[in-house]
Amino acid sequence: MKIADGVFVVPEVAANTYVIVDPDGLTLIDAGLPRSRDRILRFISGLGRPPRDVKRILLTHADWDHIGSLAALQKATGALTSASRIEAEAIAAGRSSRPTKLPSSASLIRRLMRRFMSPRPFQVDEILADGQVLPVLGGLQVVDTAGHCPGHISFFSPSTGILFCGDSMVTDEQGIHGSRPIFTWDPVMAQNAVKKQASLGVRIVCSGHGPVVMDAAGKFPL
Ligand SMILES: [Zn+2]
């Protein structure tokens, strides 16, 4: 589905993967659940582009539903993979970047989650830092939005007003909300991350879960 010129969201995946088309190649933002590779590559093929045209895979954070198909997509495309240092270390260790908040009575659930939801360790190529500007979508800024997890980052394109906020905020038909409490590492930092993103001059919010929010100014959960 097209969001703006050269910006798409892959439909029918539970965690959103975004595709940015630049003259020199394609960029993916987040890598979806495990076994999402074929759906993402089919969408890219529908844009008339082969897998090798994907040059970058940018990761907002290390949660399993955002990196589940990372290794498979990297293998299929040869893309450069990038994440913050904290999240890259978690991905390399095959673990979450924060402790779970599930109650201890949920130990069976926790064991099952660990077994089925922890992707294999993967070495990310490039470490991203707050303020860095990537040669994507006219200059894509890396924004430190820790809170949902310790190394969460968002990506903001000032020239288009598009913010890719990962799970620092979630969206639904009612609008934009903060990071879901049960998945939030530090609620105060998470709220500061919302404030920071509200001050950027965002026009379009592309979240990790939920619909894209157009005309986003004034809709931030402050
Ligand atoms: Zn998450």
Side-chain angles (χ1 to χ4, degrees):
M1 191 187 85
K2 183 174 171 178
I3 299 164
D5 284 345
V7 184
F8 304 85
V9 60
V10 180
E12 292 165 28
V13 288
N16 292 326
T17 290
Y18 296 94
V19 181
I20 300 170
V21 181
D22 281 312
D24 61 345
L26 274 56
T27 297
L28 302 185
I29 298 195
D30 284 339
L33 273 67
R35 291 184 280 282
S36 300
R37 178 197 65 181
D38 290 353
R39 198 171 293 143
I40 293 167
L41 291 181
R42 261 201 307 278
F43 181 80
I44 289 168
S45 166
L47 298 175
R49 310 297 289 257
R52 68 171 180 278
D53 280 9
V54 177
K55 302 300 183 196
R56 287 176 173 275
I57 302 174
L58 306 178
L59 302 164
T60 58
H61 66 301
D63 281 352
W64 68 282
D65 53 339
H66 294 255
I67 64 160
S69 294
L70 173 61
L73 283 167
Q74 199 286 327
K75 196 172 176 194
T77 61
L80 182 82
T81 56
S82 311
S84 75
R85 179 171 302 285
I86 292 172
E87 301 301 306
E89 285 172 4
I91 296 167
R95 58 167 170 78
S96 173
S97 63
R98 57 166 154 18
T100 175
K101 284 194 171 176
L102 286 175
S104 55
S105 58
S107 63
L108 174 65
I109 296 173
R110 193 180 296 173
R111 277 210 305 279
L112 287 172
M113 279 179 73
R114 202 175 295 144
R115 176 151 173 210
F116 291 110
M117 296 182 179
S118 303
R120 295 229 175 105
F122 181 88
Q123 196 66 51
V124 167
D125 299 304
E126 181 190 36
I127 300 298
L128 301 176
D130 183 55
Q132 198 170 336
V133 179
L134 305 171
V136 175
L137 202 57
L140 194 61
Q141 293 178 359
V142 178
V143 185
D144 178 346
T145 48
H148 175 76
C149 56
H152 193 288
I153 52 175
S154 298
F155 300 98
F156 178 56
S157 159
S159 62
T160 63
I162 300 177
L163 172 73
F164 302 93
C165 71
D167 285 358
S168 68
M169 298 183 286
V170 292
T171 56
D172 62 18
E173 305 312 327
Q174 276 71 51
I176 309 173
H177 311 276
S179 168
R180 291 194 183 103
I182 194 164
F183 298 121
T184 300
W185 171 67
D186 185 318
V188 174
M189 290 178 78
Q191 187 56 30
N192 286 339
V194 171
K195 286 184 196 151
K196 185 177 188 180
Q197 293 176 101
S199 72
L200 293 174
V202 173
R203 289 203 291 273
I204 300 174
V205 170
C206 298
S207 68
H209 302 277
V212 172
V213 176
M214 311 298 279
D215 305 316
K219 294 181 183 169
F220 285 75
L222 296 171

